[in-house]
Amino acid sequence: MMIEVMKSKLHCATVTEANLHYMGSITIDEDLMDAANMIAGEKVQVLDNNNGERFETYIIKGERGSGCICLNGAAARKVQVGDVVIIISYALMDFEEAKHFKPSVVFPQAGNKL
C-alpha cells in the first residue's frame, strides 16, 4: 500500500512579494529549497496563517540568499506581502517505509534566512 506523507516543510516563512502578472507558481529562495529538500517544479501546498487560505502550486527557484517567497499568478490574490505561510510538499511511499521516514522541516528566521 502506498500512502502520501509530508516530505518537506518550510514553517512560518514570510511572503516577500505577490506578482499577479506572472505565470502561476511560488518562487522560493534556493537556500530555503535546499534546506527543506525541495526542488524546482515540485508541487507544494501553501497555507496562509494570516487569512486561512490553502492552495496548491509548484516551485520556481528563486535567487539564492534573497529570502524570496513570492506568490505568482492567481495565487498572488490569496496572500498579502508580510503574510506568514507554511509551505509543504508530500511524497508517495510504501506504508512500512513511511513509518520510519523523517521529513525535512525548516523554520526560517527573520528575512526568511536559515
Side-chain angles (χ1 to χ4, degrees):
M1 171 179 28
M2 301 292 282
I3 64 170
E4 191 171 20
V5 298
M6 182 178 78
K7 178 186 79 65
S8 305
K9 177 165 72 165
L10 288 169
H11 189 81
C12 293
T14 302
V15 174
T16 60
E17 299 174 60
N19 186 349
L20 180 62
H21 303 292
Y22 189 83
M23 289 177 51
S25 59
I26 184 169
T27 305
I28 301 175
D29 175 329
E30 191 172 5
D31 283 342
L32 293 172
M33 290 173 57
D34 289 348
N37 195 28
M38 294 175 169
I39 61 169
E42 184 171 4
K43 178 181 171 182
V44 291
Q45 183 179 37
V46 180
L47 296 71
D48 189 314
N49 285 350
N50 293 78
N51 63 22
E53 288 284 353
R54 299 170 73 97
F55 55 91
E56 294 177 341
T57 188
Y58 63 93
I59 298 172
I60 290 179
K61 190 184 312 182
E63 181 182 344
R64 189 176 290 283
S66 67
C68 177
I69 300 289
C70 178
L71 280 303
N72 301 302
R77 293 201 182 272
K78 299 198 172 271
V79 301
Q80 297 291 318
V81 171
D83 283 0
V84 174
V85 294
I86 299 169
I87 304 163
I88 306 170
S89 68
Y90 300 88
L92 283 175
M93 62 185 67
D94 177 76
F95 183 76
E96 292 303 318
E97 177 186 6
K99 288 180 181 180
H100 306 286
F101 179 76
K102 302 288 186 237
S104 299
V105 180
V106 175
F107 299 89
Q109 302 302 307
N112 294 326
K113 301 300 179 189
L114 296 173

